Amino acid sequence: MNAGGVPENGQVVIGLNAVIVAIIEEQPKVLIVQHTPETLTAQHETLTDRALPHDDRHEALPFGPFYPLKHRTLESGLRSWVEEQTNHEIGYVEQLYTFGNQGRDPREEAGGPRLVSVSYLALVQDTAPTAIETAIWHDWYRYFPWEDWREDTPALLESDIIPALRQWIETSSDAAERQDRYERACITFGLDDTPWNDELVLERYELLYEANLVAEAQDHLSDPIQIGFRGTAMALDHRRILATAIGRLRGKIKYRPVVFELMPPTFTLLQLQKVVEALSGSRLHKQNFRRLIEKKGLVEATGKIESQTGGRPASQFRFRREVLMEKQALGVRQN
């Protein structure tokens, strides 16, 4: 280890992470693998028990190392790890982001290799239980409860997070830093009548991390502060990876029809609206949503009626895949 804290050996370990998303009972779910410190160590080979200082830190995304002699491509390696750890096969998958910041792996401090993780976003419809007890579907708002605005402004924001952020702003060392913190808090968390941007999931989490207001940020503190219940913590920086995926998906449904990767072959317009609301964390105006879907020609009627709606029978629709060949914005939400 040199004076700057950078490994002298220059080695890099490549990891593969999967954010697997499904809609279950109108809720956005992510497939989580519950690890012990021993299984985490075995799968990433560079991790130590220091990575999981608390019992509730064992929740992780499916992940594992890339083996060049075993895996033909990064994506094939990812699919192999997902199937092994969750017993699920994934269909639609896209590369999300590459995470390679210094210090992601605790052993790096001791001169170990840099951990660079290539993350992927997968959208699935198969949510059947598996024989693997440690692979569990969890509501993604379990990790980001401040992101769910479907009913109203999340109580946690007004009672806990906003006051904590204002206190953090006031502890700034000088006026310039105070103004910078205030502006970033306004942009990300909508302070003082600033509009809320549902795509800034990662930016909100990173601001809370910088302010030491989430559990993952407490690892380096000798005397961790009381943080309250601000979402369930995850192993290493997996909650940051999940935040990146949610923000990406919220943005993408506005201009590409990826939401239909989460829908069954036939559905009602209300079911489609509920899925979009679940992903975006906000309620949509029913008539405006239907006019948008009709204007863009995203769906076509099947001629069948869904009677098991709990209310009036509703027409069934299916995704019109021909629109993929048309050059236009194909999202299901207005920007």
Side-chain angles (χ1 to χ4, degrees):
M1 181 75 69
N2 61 28
V6 179
E8 295 178 342
N9 57 31
Q11 294 181 349
V12 171
V13 173
I14 298 178
L16 303 168
N17 295 74
V19 180
I20 306 172
V21 176
I23 298 294
I24 304 175
E25 297 179 351
E26 299 180 356
Q27 298 299 324
K29 304 283 186 173
V30 61
L31 191 54
I32 297 298
V33 179
Q34 294 182 325
H35 287 289
T36 65
E38 292 75 18
T39 59
L40 278 168
T41 303
Q43 283 163 13
H44 250 215
E45 299 185 327
T46 61
L47 307 181
T48 68
D49 290 359
R50 278 189 55 204
L52 295 170
H54 309 295
D55 289 341
D56 62 351
R57 299 297 302 281
H58 295 211
E59 295 188 11
L61 301 169
F63 73 107
F66 172 66
Y67 293 131
L69 298 181
K70 179 181 178 181
H71 301 140
R72 185 175 62 86
T73 64
L74 293 173
E75 187 175 314
S76 67
L78 176 86
R79 292 178 183 275
S80 176
W81 280 117
V82 168
E83 188 169 353
E84 177 179 326
Q85 295 178 15
T86 71
N87 200 30
H88 274 273
E89 293 185 2
I90 52 178
Y92 175 92
V93 63
E94 65 174 75
Q95 194 169 123
L96 181 64
Y97 194 76
T98 299
F99 297 84
N101 291 354
Q102 181 180 335
R104 297 182 63 246
D105 182 342
R107 281 195 177 179
E108 189 177 333
E109 297 180 7
R114 172 73 61 89
L115 176 61
V116 175
S117 295
V118 183
S119 61
Y120 288 80
L121 171 63
L123 306 181
V124 301
Q125 296 177 22
D126 179 15
T127 59
T130 72
I132 301 179
E133 295 181 355
T134 55
I136 301 173
W137 290 101
H138 279 317
D139 190 325
W140 74 22
Y141 294 120
R142 165 188 176 92
Y143 306 99
F144 306 97
W146 55 86
E147 294 290 341
D148 189 0
W149 290 62
R150 287 174 293 176
E151 299 304 325
D152 203 348
T153 303
L156 181 68
L157 274 177
E158 297 181 340
S159 66
D160 177 71
I161 290 179
I162 297 303
L165 281 174
R166 291 192 184 278
Q167 183 178 5
W168 174 67
I169 292 168
E170 291 305 313
T171 61
S172 304
S173 59
D174 54 52
E177 182 182 74
R178 185 178 303 109
Q179 182 65 21
D180 177 69
R181 289 183 176 185
Y182 173 71
E183 289 177 355
R184 285 187 290 143
C186 285
I187 293 171
T188 54
F189 281 92
L191 267 61
D192 300 334
D193 298 324
T194 305
W196 177 273
N197 185 335
D198 64 2
E199 295 181 40
L200 301 182
V201 185
L202 174 62
E203 290 80 356
R204 281 187 281 273
Y205 173 74
E206 288 189 329
L207 192 68
L208 293 178
Y209 186 97
E210 180 183 343
N212 290 319
L213 297 177
V214 288
E216 292 89 343
Q218 307 295 301
D219 294 346
H220 66 279
L221 300 179
S222 58
D223 185 21
I225 61 176
Q226 177 58 251
I227 62 170
F229 184 74
R230 299 181 184 132
T232 300
M234 299 184 75
L236 303 175
D237 60 351
H238 286 202
R239 191 151 55 144
R240 182 171 182 251
I241 296 174
L242 178 56
T244 304
I246 296 174
R248 166 77 67 85
L249 190 52
R250 284 181 169 183
K252 197 158 189 174
I253 62 175
K254 296 176 182 178
Y255 64 90
R256 295 299 298 170
V258 293
V259 66
F260 295 101
E261 299 291 342
L262 297 167
M263 301 299 298
T266 61
F267 47 83
T268 68
L269 292 183
L270 180 59
Q271 289 170 337
L272 178 61
Q273 179 179 335
K274 293 291 186 182
V275 169
V276 176
E277 290 176 338
L279 297 174
S280 65
S282 60
R283 290 296 182 200
L284 302 175
H285 187 278
K286 180 178 178 180
Q287 296 305 321
N288 288 347
F289 176 77
R290 296 193 174 192
R291 277 195 292 267
L292 177 65
I293 297 299
E294 180 180 353
K295 177 182 177 181
K296 296 193 174 185
L298 294 173
V299 300
E300 59 185 3
T302 66
K304 298 181 180 180
I305 300 296
E306 172 62 62
S307 58
Q308 305 297 321
T309 61
R312 295 174 58 185
S315 298
Q316 289 187 348
F317 293 82
R318 57 172 164 252
F319 174 49
R320 194 173 70 85
R321 291 198 171 273
E322 293 85 344
V323 300
L324 296 174
M325 305 299 294
E326 300 169 5
K327 296 181 179 179
Q328 60 172 318
L330 300 175
V332 293
R333 291 194 63 204
Q334 296 282 11
N335 290 319

